[in-house]
Amino acid sequence: MTALELDDVHREHGQGAGLVHALRGLSLTVLPGEFVAVMGPSGSGKSTLLNAAGGLITPTRGRVVVAGTDLAGLGVAGRAALRRRAVGYVFQELNLIPSLTAAENVMLPRELDGVRTRKARAEALAALAETGMADAAGRFPEDLSGGQRQRVAIARALVGERRLILADEPAGALDSQGGEEIMRVLRTRCDAGAACLMVTHESRHAAWADRVVFLRDGLAVDSTEPARGPEILLEHR
Ligand code: ADP
Ligand code: MG
């Protein structure tokens, strides 16, 4: 079974003169254990792709299938439940809840899903340790640096047994060493069987992936293995 399947996905934003075709018939498959990087210029549809894959927006045409479930067959509550259970999402704007500590932020999706507080806390601490944030469990987002907040957001996406991880520039606020650490965490998760779809501007980070998909104007223009050199393809755009 595929972890994620997008089949001829279209999505428009706005209307009238402001209508933008953010995705124009995108097809993409991610298998369990696969780490796929998405690259492309600003406005090419990368975040829209992740939002569609996570069921946060509905395609105007085409199909999104997550772990064998067609999202079109689920209502709002069903999509939210699938997302909590199976999908880890690292948002570009992080979306941590300011009134909750780091550990409480990471626990939240598990508690919403009915996991007992004690178990949820233990899982949250393990996820925070994985992203190097064990010592910050009791701190609030406003007391953390941008890079630390990013690590907490990544821990929240990893907690529990998420089979699909969607990450929009997950290392954007980290220095190069921090970025490599996070790539290693994501790579390890994929090697353990999770699927990961990650937007990145850094070919250094894309090099950790099994495959790089290049978006342009809402379409995948090329797909390659990083060993063949994303930089070379970028030069040819
Ligand atoms: P990327 O993440 O590659 O920078 P996005 O998926 O965010 O690209 O955006 C693709 C296109 O859709 C852009 O032209 C952007 O301006 C437009 N867009 C994205 N979200 C919205 C929105 N909520 N309303 C209107 N236009 C949007
Ligand atoms: Mg974006």
PDB file of all heavy atoms in Angstrom, residues 101-139:
ATOM      1  N   THR A 101       3.216  24.145  27.305  1.00  0.00           N
ATOM      2  CA  THR A 101       4.655  23.904  27.300  1.00  0.00           C
ATOM      3  C   THR A 101       5.025  23.071  26.070  1.00  0.00           C
ATOM      4  O   THR A 101       4.155  22.548  25.363  1.00  0.00           O
ATOM      5  CB  THR A 101       5.095  23.102  28.541  1.00  0.00           C
ATOM      6  OG1 THR A 101       4.481  21.802  28.476  1.00  0.00           O
ATOM      7  CG2 THR A 101       4.707  23.795  29.837  1.00  0.00           C
ATOM      8  N   ALA A 102       6.340  22.949  25.863  1.00  0.00           N
ATOM      9  CA  ALA A 102       6.810  22.136  24.736  1.00  0.00           C
ATOM     10  C   ALA A 102       6.233  20.729  24.816  1.00  0.00           C
ATOM     11  O   ALA A 102       5.686  20.202  23.845  1.00  0.00           O
ATOM     12  CB  ALA A 102       8.345  22.095  24.733  1.00  0.00           C
ATOM     13  N   ALA A 103       6.333  20.111  25.998  1.00  0.00           N
ATOM     14  CA  ALA A 103       5.831  18.737  26.150  1.00  0.00           C
ATOM     15  C   ALA A 103       4.316  18.678  25.911  1.00  0.00           C
ATOM     16  O   ALA A 103       3.824  17.764  25.249  1.00  0.00           O
ATOM     17  CB  ALA A 103       6.161  18.203  27.541  1.00  0.00           C
ATOM     18  N   GLU A 104       3.579  19.669  26.432  1.00  0.00           N
ATOM     19  CA  GLU A 104       2.120  19.671  26.244  1.00  0.00           C
ATOM     20  C   GLU A 104       1.740  19.849  24.782  1.00  0.00           C
ATOM     21  O   GLU A 104       0.780  19.247  24.296  1.00  0.00           O
ATOM     22  CB  GLU A 104       1.494  20.771  27.112  1.00  0.00           C
ATOM     23  CG  GLU A 104       1.516  20.412  28.591  1.00  0.00           C
ATOM     24  CD  GLU A 104       1.264  21.616  29.507  1.00  0.00           C
ATOM     25  OE1 GLU A 104       1.245  22.766  29.011  1.00  0.00           O
ATOM     26  OE2 GLU A 104       1.105  21.396  30.714  1.00  0.00           O
ATOM     27  N   ASN A 105       2.507  20.690  24.062  1.00  0.00           N
ATOM     28  CA  ASN A 105       2.266  20.841  22.628  1.00  0.00           C
ATOM     29  C   ASN A 105       2.437  19.518  21.902  1.00  0.00           C
ATOM     30  O   ASN A 105       1.647  19.160  21.027  1.00  0.00           O
ATOM     31  CB  ASN A 105       3.231  21.877  22.027  1.00  0.00           C
ATOM     32  CG  ASN A 105       2.641  23.266  21.960  1.00  0.00           C
ATOM     33  OD1 ASN A 105       1.810  23.551  21.096  1.00  0.00           O
ATOM     34  ND2 ASN A 105       3.059  24.125  22.883  1.00  0.00           N
ATOM     35  N   VAL A 106       3.480  18.780  22.265  1.00  0.00           N
ATOM     36  CA  VAL A 106       3.775  17.514  21.577  1.00  0.00           C
ATOM     37  C   VAL A 106       2.760  16.435  21.974  1.00  0.00           C
ATOM     38  O   VAL A 106       2.386  15.585  21.167  1.00  0.00           O
ATOM     39  CB  VAL A 106       5.229  17.073  21.874  1.00  0.00           C
ATOM     40  CG1 VAL A 106       5.539  15.733  21.236  1.00  0.00           C
ATOM     41  CG2 VAL A 106       6.216  18.143  21.383  1.00  0.00           C
ATOM     42  N   MET A 107       2.287  16.492  23.227  1.00  0.00           N
ATOM     43  CA  MET A 107       1.306  15.506  23.721  1.00  0.00           C
ATOM     44  C   MET A 107      -0.074  15.679  23.095  1.00  0.00           C
ATOM     45  O   MET A 107      -0.829  14.710  22.986  1.00  0.00           O
ATOM     46  CB  MET A 107       1.092  15.686  25.233  1.00  0.00           C
ATOM     47  CG  MET A 107       2.212  15.236  26.105  1.00  0.00           C
ATOM     48  SD  MET A 107       1.993  15.881  27.788  1.00  0.00           S
ATOM     49  CE  MET A 107       0.560  14.950  28.346  1.00  0.00           C
ATOM     50  N   LEU A 108      -0.387  16.924  22.748  1.00  0.00           N
ATOM     51  CA  LEU A 108      -1.768  17.267  22.382  1.00  0.00           C
ATOM     52  C   LEU A 108      -2.404  16.350  21.340  1.00  0.00           C
ATOM     53  O   LEU A 108      -3.501  15.820  21.579  1.00  0.00           O
ATOM     54  CB  LEU A 108      -1.836  18.738  21.945  1.00  0.00           C
ATOM     55  CG  LEU A 108      -3.245  19.285  21.717  1.00  0.00           C
ATOM     56  CD1 LEU A 108      -4.062  19.235  22.996  1.00  0.00           C
ATOM     57  CD2 LEU A 108      -3.178  20.704  21.185  1.00  0.00           C
ATOM     58  N   PRO A 109      -1.741  16.109  20.190  1.00  0.00           N
ATOM     59  CA  PRO A 109      -2.407  15.243  19.199  1.00  0.00           C
ATOM     60  C   PRO A 109      -2.683  13.843  19.741  1.00  0.00           C
ATOM     61  O   PRO A 109      -3.710  13.239  19.399  1.00  0.00           O
ATOM     62  CB  PRO A 109      -1.425  15.199  18.018  1.00  0.00           C
ATOM     63  CG  PRO A 109      -0.143  15.749  18.525  1.00  0.00           C
ATOM     64  CD  PRO A 109      -0.468  16.626  19.689  1.00  0.00           C
ATOM     65  N   ARG A 110      -1.837  13.351  20.611  1.00  0.00           N
ATOM     66  CA  ARG A 110      -2.039  12.009  21.171  1.00  0.00           C
ATOM     67  C   ARG A 110      -3.212  12.011  22.148  1.00  0.00           C
ATOM     68  O   ARG A 110      -4.041  11.113  22.141  1.00  0.00           O
ATOM     69  CB  ARG A 110      -0.762  11.540  21.886  1.00  0.00           C
ATOM     70  CG  ARG A 110       0.434  11.488  20.977  1.00  0.00           C
ATOM     71  CD  ARG A 110       0.262  10.492  19.851  1.00  0.00           C
ATOM     72  NE  ARG A 110       0.411   9.120  20.312  1.00  0.00           N
ATOM     73  CZ  ARG A 110      -0.176   8.081  19.733  1.00  0.00           C
ATOM     74  NH1 ARG A 110      -0.953   8.244  18.693  1.00  0.00           N
ATOM     75  NH2 ARG A 110       0.020   6.872  20.195  1.00  0.00           N
ATOM     76  N   GLU A 111      -3.276  13.053  22.979  1.00  0.00           N
ATOM     77  CA  GLU A 111      -4.384  13.128  23.943  1.00  0.00           C
ATOM     78  C   GLU A 111      -5.720  13.303  23.232  1.00  0.00           C
ATOM     79  O   GLU A 111      -6.713  12.699  23.616  1.00  0.00           O
ATOM     80  CB  GLU A 111      -4.140  14.279  24.920  1.00  0.00           C
ATOM     81  CG  GLU A 111      -2.984  13.987  25.877  1.00  0.00           C
ATOM     82  CD  GLU A 111      -2.998  14.922  27.072  1.00  0.00           C
ATOM     83  OE1 GLU A 111      -2.656  16.098  26.865  1.00  0.00           O
ATOM     84  OE2 GLU A 111      -3.337  14.477  28.175  1.00  0.00           O
ATOM     85  N   LEU A 112      -5.719  14.111  22.159  1.00  0.00           N
ATOM     86  CA  LEU A 112      -6.953  14.288  21.388  1.00  0.00           C
ATOM     87  C   LEU A 112      -7.399  12.965  20.803  1.00  0.00           C
ATOM     88  O   LEU A 112      -8.566  12.746  20.534  1.00  0.00           O
ATOM     89  CB  LEU A 112      -6.732  15.308  20.260  1.00  0.00           C
ATOM     90  CG  LEU A 112      -6.593  16.763  20.685  1.00  0.00           C
ATOM     91  CD1 LEU A 112      -6.237  17.629  19.488  1.00  0.00           C
ATOM     92  CD2 LEU A 112      -7.877  17.266  21.335  1.00  0.00           C
ATOM     93  N   ASP A 113      -6.421  12.094  20.590  1.00  0.00           N
ATOM     94  CA  ASP A 113      -6.726  10.806  19.987  1.00  0.00           C
ATOM     95  C   ASP A 113      -7.029   9.737  21.038  1.00  0.00           C
ATOM     96  O   ASP A 113      -7.145   8.556  20.726  1.00  0.00           O
ATOM     97  CB  ASP A 113      -5.555  10.378  19.103  1.00  0.00           C
ATOM     98  CG  ASP A 113      -6.048   9.660  17.864  1.00  0.00           C
ATOM     99  OD1 ASP A 113      -7.168   9.966  17.431  1.00  0.00           O
ATOM    100  OD2 ASP A 113      -5.321   8.784  17.357  1.00  0.00           O
ATOM    101  N   GLY A 114      -7.127  10.144  22.307  1.00  0.00           N
ATOM    102  CA  GLY A 114      -7.576   9.224  23.352  1.00  0.00           C
ATOM    103  C   GLY A 114      -6.467   8.506  24.099  1.00  0.00           C
ATOM    104  O   GLY A 114      -6.750   7.638  24.932  1.00  0.00           O
ATOM    105  N   VAL A 115      -5.199   8.840  23.820  1.00  0.00           N
ATOM    106  CA  VAL A 115      -4.096   8.218  24.552  1.00  0.00           C
ATOM    107  C   VAL A 115      -4.065   8.802  25.961  1.00  0.00           C
ATOM    108  O   VAL A 115      -4.231  10.017  26.149  1.00  0.00           O
ATOM    109  CB  VAL A 115      -2.746   8.474  23.815  1.00  0.00           C
ATOM    110  CG1 VAL A 115      -1.572   7.979  24.631  1.00  0.00           C
ATOM    111  CG2 VAL A 115      -2.777   7.815  22.442  1.00  0.00           C
ATOM    112  N   ARG A 116      -3.880   7.952  26.971  1.00  0.00           N
ATOM    113  CA  ARG A 116      -3.868   8.412  28.366  1.00  0.00           C
ATOM    114  C   ARG A 116      -2.714   9.382  28.586  1.00  0.00           C
ATOM    115  O   ARG A 116      -1.648   9.253  27.996  1.00  0.00           O
ATOM    116  CB  ARG A 116      -3.711   7.223  29.314  1.00  0.00           C
ATOM    117  CG  ARG A 116      -4.798   6.159  29.169  1.00  0.00           C
ATOM    118  CD  ARG A 116      -6.083   6.577  29.880  1.00  0.00           C
ATOM    119  NE  ARG A 116      -5.930   6.494  31.323  1.00  0.00           N
ATOM    120  CZ  ARG A 116      -6.208   5.408  32.022  1.00  0.00           C
ATOM    121  NH1 ARG A 116      -6.637   4.305  31.413  1.00  0.00           N
ATOM    122  NH2 ARG A 116      -6.072   5.396  33.322  1.00  0.00           N
ATOM    123  N   THR A 117      -2.941  10.341  29.487  1.00  0.00           N
ATOM    124  CA  THR A 117      -1.987  11.418  29.716  1.00  0.00           C
ATOM    125  C   THR A 117      -0.570  10.916  29.997  1.00  0.00           C
ATOM    126  O   THR A 117       0.402  11.421  29.447  1.00  0.00           O
ATOM    127  CB  THR A 117      -2.460  12.302  30.891  1.00  0.00           C
ATOM    128  OG1 THR A 117      -3.728  12.832  30.552  1.00  0.00           O
ATOM    129  CG2 THR A 117      -1.489  13.441  31.150  1.00  0.00           C
ATOM    130  N   ARG A 118      -0.479   9.904  30.837  1.00  0.00           N
ATOM    131  CA  ARG A 118       0.835   9.387  31.217  1.00  0.00           C
ATOM    132  C   ARG A 118       1.616   8.853  30.026  1.00  0.00           C
ATOM    133  O   ARG A 118       2.795   9.140  29.853  1.00  0.00           O
ATOM    134  CB  ARG A 118       0.641   8.236  32.204  1.00  0.00           C
ATOM    135  CG  ARG A 118       1.265   8.470  33.542  1.00  0.00           C
ATOM    136  CD  ARG A 118       0.946   7.270  34.383  1.00  0.00           C
ATOM    137  NE  ARG A 118       2.174   6.565  34.681  1.00  0.00           N
ATOM    138  CZ  ARG A 118       2.413   6.069  35.879  1.00  0.00           C
ATOM    139  NH1 ARG A 118       1.520   6.196  36.831  1.00  0.00           N
ATOM    140  NH2 ARG A 118       3.535   5.438  36.099  1.00  0.00           N
ATOM    141  N   LYS A 119       0.902   8.078  29.216  1.00  0.00           N
ATOM    142  CA  LYS A 119       1.529   7.493  28.029  1.00  0.00           C
ATOM    143  C   LYS A 119       1.867   8.597  27.020  1.00  0.00           C
ATOM    144  O   LYS A 119       2.955   8.612  26.436  1.00  0.00           O
ATOM    145  CB  LYS A 119       0.568   6.472  27.398  1.00  0.00           C
ATOM    146  CG  LYS A 119       1.138   5.748  26.199  1.00  0.00           C
ATOM    147  CD  LYS A 119       0.304   4.500  25.867  1.00  0.00           C
ATOM    148  CE  LYS A 119       0.966   3.647  24.804  1.00  0.00           C
ATOM    149  NZ  LYS A 119       0.662   4.117  23.434  1.00  0.00           N
ATOM    150  N   ALA A 120       0.930   9.544  26.851  1.00  0.00           N
ATOM    151  CA  ALA A 120       1.151  10.648  25.916  1.00  0.00           C
ATOM    152  C   ALA A 120       2.380  11.450  26.332  1.00  0.00           C
ATOM    153  O   ALA A 120       3.196  11.858  25.497  1.00  0.00           O
ATOM    154  CB  ALA A 120      -0.084  11.541  25.848  1.00  0.00           C
ATOM    155  N   ARG A 121       2.535  11.660  27.656  1.00  0.00           N
ATOM    156  CA  ARG A 121       3.683  12.423  28.147  1.00  0.00           C
ATOM    157  C   ARG A 121       4.986  11.677  27.872  1.00  0.00           C
ATOM    158  O   ARG A 121       5.969  12.270  27.420  1.00  0.00           O
ATOM    159  CB  ARG A 121       3.535  12.715  29.638  1.00  0.00           C
ATOM    160  CG  ARG A 121       4.756  13.374  30.281  1.00  0.00           C
ATOM    161  CD  ARG A 121       4.448  13.985  31.627  1.00  0.00           C
ATOM    162  NE  ARG A 121       3.640  15.192  31.508  1.00  0.00           N
ATOM    163  CZ  ARG A 121       4.148  16.409  31.303  1.00  0.00           C
ATOM    164  NH1 ARG A 121       5.443  16.596  31.194  1.00  0.00           N
ATOM    165  NH2 ARG A 121       3.355  17.449  31.192  1.00  0.00           N
ATOM    166  N   ALA A 122       4.966  10.385  28.104  1.00  0.00           N
ATOM    167  CA  ALA A 122       6.177   9.580  27.860  1.00  0.00           C
ATOM    168  C   ALA A 122       6.553   9.616  26.382  1.00  0.00           C
ATOM    169  O   ALA A 122       7.727   9.775  26.019  1.00  0.00           O
ATOM    170  CB  ALA A 122       5.949   8.139  28.327  1.00  0.00           C
ATOM    171  N   GLU A 123       5.546   9.504  25.529  1.00  0.00           N
ATOM    172  CA  GLU A 123       5.806   9.568  24.085  1.00  0.00           C
ATOM    173  C   GLU A 123       6.338  10.937  23.684  1.00  0.00           C
ATOM    174  O   GLU A 123       7.249  11.046  22.853  1.00  0.00           O
ATOM    175  CB  GLU A 123       4.510   9.297  23.305  1.00  0.00           C
ATOM    176  CG  GLU A 123       4.049   7.854  23.345  1.00  0.00           C
ATOM    177  CD  GLU A 123       2.725   7.662  22.629  1.00  0.00           C
ATOM    178  OE1 GLU A 123       2.085   8.672  22.249  1.00  0.00           O
ATOM    179  OE2 GLU A 123       2.321   6.500  22.465  1.00  0.00           O
ATOM    180  N   ALA A 124       5.760  11.986  24.294  1.00  0.00           N
ATOM    181  CA  ALA A 124       6.190  13.344  23.968  1.00  0.00           C
ATOM    182  C   ALA A 124       7.647  13.559  24.376  1.00  0.00           C
ATOM    183  O   ALA A 124       8.433  14.145  23.629  1.00  0.00           O
ATOM    184  CB  ALA A 124       5.290  14.364  24.668  1.00  0.00           C
ATOM    185  N   LEU A 125       8.009  13.063  25.545  1.00  0.00           N
ATOM    186  CA  LEU A 125       9.389  13.241  26.002  1.00  0.00           C
ATOM    187  C   LEU A 125      10.359  12.495  25.091  1.00  0.00           C
ATOM    188  O   LEU A 125      11.450  12.981  24.791  1.00  0.00           O
ATOM    189  CB  LEU A 125       9.533  12.785  27.458  1.00  0.00           C
ATOM    190  CG  LEU A 125       8.750  13.646  28.461  1.00  0.00           C
ATOM    191  CD1 LEU A 125       8.885  13.087  29.881  1.00  0.00           C
ATOM    192  CD2 LEU A 125       9.174  15.114  28.416  1.00  0.00           C
ATOM    193  N   ALA A 126       9.937  11.315  24.613  1.00  0.00           N
ATOM    194  CA  ALA A 126      10.786  10.548  23.693  1.00  0.00           C
ATOM    195  C   ALA A 126      10.973  11.301  22.377  1.00  0.00           C
ATOM    196  O   ALA A 126      12.082  11.376  21.837  1.00  0.00           O
ATOM    197  CB  ALA A 126      10.183   9.167  23.446  1.00  0.00           C
ATOM    198  N   ALA A 127       9.881  11.879  21.885  1.00  0.00           N
ATOM    199  CA  ALA A 127       9.961  12.629  20.615  1.00  0.00           C
ATOM    200  C   ALA A 127      10.829  13.878  20.783  1.00  0.00           C
ATOM    201  O   ALA A 127      11.623  14.225  19.910  1.00  0.00           O
ATOM    202  CB  ALA A 127       8.565  12.995  20.126  1.00  0.00           C
ATOM    203  N   LEU A 128      10.678  14.560  21.931  1.00  0.00           N
ATOM    204  CA  LEU A 128      11.500  15.743  22.186  1.00  0.00           C
ATOM    205  C   LEU A 128      12.973  15.358  22.286  1.00  0.00           C
ATOM    206  O   LEU A 128      13.853  16.094  21.817  1.00  0.00           O
ATOM    207  CB  LEU A 128      11.042  16.452  23.467  1.00  0.00           C
ATOM    208  CG  LEU A 128       9.733  17.247  23.343  1.00  0.00           C
ATOM    209  CD1 LEU A 128       9.201  17.634  24.718  1.00  0.00           C
ATOM    210  CD2 LEU A 128       9.940  18.493  22.481  1.00  0.00           C
ATOM    211  N   ALA A 129      13.248  14.203  22.883  1.00  0.00           N
ATOM    212  CA  ALA A 129      14.642  13.739  22.973  1.00  0.00           C
ATOM    213  C   ALA A 129      15.194  13.487  21.572  1.00  0.00           C
ATOM    214  O   ALA A 129      16.350  13.792  21.273  1.00  0.00           O
ATOM    215  CB  ALA A 129      14.716  12.471  23.824  1.00  0.00           C
ATOM    216  N   GLU A 130      14.334  12.947  20.710  1.00  0.00           N
ATOM    217  CA  GLU A 130      14.753  12.644  19.343  1.00  0.00           C
ATOM    218  C   GLU A 130      15.192  13.912  18.598  1.00  0.00           C
ATOM    219  O   GLU A 130      16.114  13.877  17.780  1.00  0.00           O
ATOM    220  CB  GLU A 130      13.566  11.997  18.613  1.00  0.00           C
ATOM    221  CG  GLU A 130      13.944  10.951  17.597  1.00  0.00           C
ATOM    222  CD  GLU A 130      12.710  10.223  17.070  1.00  0.00           C
ATOM    223  OE1 GLU A 130      11.768   9.954  17.860  1.00  0.00           O
ATOM    224  OE2 GLU A 130      12.696   9.922  15.874  1.00  0.00           O
ATOM    225  N   THR A 131      14.530  15.027  18.862  1.00  0.00           N
ATOM    226  CA  THR A 131      14.888  16.265  18.170  1.00  0.00           C
ATOM    227  C   THR A 131      15.822  17.147  19.013  1.00  0.00           C
ATOM    228  O   THR A 131      16.008  18.322  18.716  1.00  0.00           O
ATOM    229  CB  THR A 131      13.633  17.089  17.783  1.00  0.00           C
ATOM    230  OG1 THR A 131      12.907  17.452  18.974  1.00  0.00           O
ATOM    231  CG2 THR A 131      12.713  16.295  16.872  1.00  0.00           C
ATOM    232  N   GLY A 132      16.376  16.582  20.064  1.00  0.00           N
ATOM    233  CA  GLY A 132      17.357  17.308  20.862  1.00  0.00           C
ATOM    234  C   GLY A 132      16.758  18.327  21.806  1.00  0.00           C
ATOM    235  O   GLY A 132      17.434  19.284  22.199  1.00  0.00           O
ATOM    236  N   MET A 133      15.477  18.146  22.187  1.00  0.00           N
ATOM    237  CA  MET A 133      14.799  19.143  23.017  1.00  0.00           C
ATOM    238  C   MET A 133      14.355  18.598  24.372  1.00  0.00           C
ATOM    239  O   MET A 133      13.471  19.176  25.007  1.00  0.00           O
ATOM    240  CB  MET A 133      13.580  19.686  22.255  1.00  0.00           C
ATOM    241  CG  MET A 133      13.937  20.565  21.074  1.00  0.00           C
ATOM    242  SD  MET A 133      14.895  22.019  21.549  1.00  0.00           S
ATOM    243  CE  MET A 133      13.624  22.949  22.390  1.00  0.00           C
ATOM    244  N   ALA A 134      14.945  17.512  24.832  1.00  0.00           N
ATOM    245  CA  ALA A 134      14.534  16.898  26.095  1.00  0.00           C
ATOM    246  C   ALA A 134      14.562  17.902  27.246  1.00  0.00           C
ATOM    247  O   ALA A 134      13.661  17.914  28.094  1.00  0.00           O
ATOM    248  CB  ALA A 134      15.422  15.698  26.407  1.00  0.00           C
ATOM    249  N   ASP A 135      15.560  18.766  27.259  1.00  0.00           N
ATOM    250  CA  ASP A 135      15.713  19.704  28.374  1.00  0.00           C
ATOM    251  C   ASP A 135      14.684  20.831  28.369  1.00  0.00           C
ATOM    252  O   ASP A 135      14.552  21.554  29.353  1.00  0.00           O
ATOM    253  CB  ASP A 135      17.117  20.321  28.344  1.00  0.00           C
ATOM    254  CG  ASP A 135      18.188  19.277  28.632  1.00  0.00           C
ATOM    255  OD1 ASP A 135      17.826  18.190  29.156  1.00  0.00           O
ATOM    256  OD2 ASP A 135      19.356  19.532  28.319  1.00  0.00           O
ATOM    257  N   ALA A 136      13.976  20.992  27.255  1.00  0.00           N
ATOM    258  CA  ALA A 136      13.052  22.119  27.139  1.00  0.00           C
ATOM    259  C   ALA A 136      11.597  21.705  27.337  1.00  0.00           C
ATOM    260  O   ALA A 136      10.698  22.513  27.117  1.00  0.00           O
ATOM    261  CB  ALA A 136      13.214  22.784  25.774  1.00  0.00           C
ATOM    262  N   ALA A 137      11.368  20.481  27.798  1.00  0.00           N
ATOM    263  CA  ALA A 137      10.007  19.937  27.882  1.00  0.00           C
ATOM    264  C   ALA A 137       9.047  20.864  28.632  1.00  0.00           C
ATOM    265  O   ALA A 137       7.891  21.011  28.246  1.00  0.00           O
ATOM    266  CB  ALA A 137      10.031  18.562  28.548  1.00  0.00           C
ATOM    267  N   GLY A 138       9.518  21.513  29.700  1.00  0.00           N
ATOM    268  CA  GLY A 138       8.636  22.317  30.533  1.00  0.00           C
ATOM    269  C   GLY A 138       8.592  23.787  30.151  1.00  0.00           C
ATOM    270  O   GLY A 138       7.963  24.590  30.827  1.00  0.00           O
ATOM    271  N   ARG A 139       9.257  24.143  29.054  1.00  0.00           N
ATOM    272  CA  ARG A 139       9.301  25.561  28.685  1.00  0.00           C
ATOM    273  C   ARG A 139       8.204  25.917  27.680  1.00  0.00           C
ATOM    274  O   ARG A 139       7.739  25.083  26.928  1.00  0.00           O
ATOM    275  CB  ARG A 139      10.688  25.897  28.144  1.00  0.00           C
ATOM    276  CG  ARG A 139      11.724  25.892  29.283  1.00  0.00           C
ATOM    277  CD  ARG A 139      13.144  25.850  28.770  1.00  0.00           C
ATOM    278  NE  ARG A 139      13.486  27.068  28.074  1.00  0.00           N
ATOM    279  CZ  ARG A 139      14.613  27.195  27.368  1.00  0.00           C
ATOM    280  NH1 ARG A 139      15.462  26.175  27.270  1.00  0.00           N
ATOM    281  NH2 ARG A 139      14.880  28.325  26.756  1.00  0.00           N
TER     282      ARG A 139
END
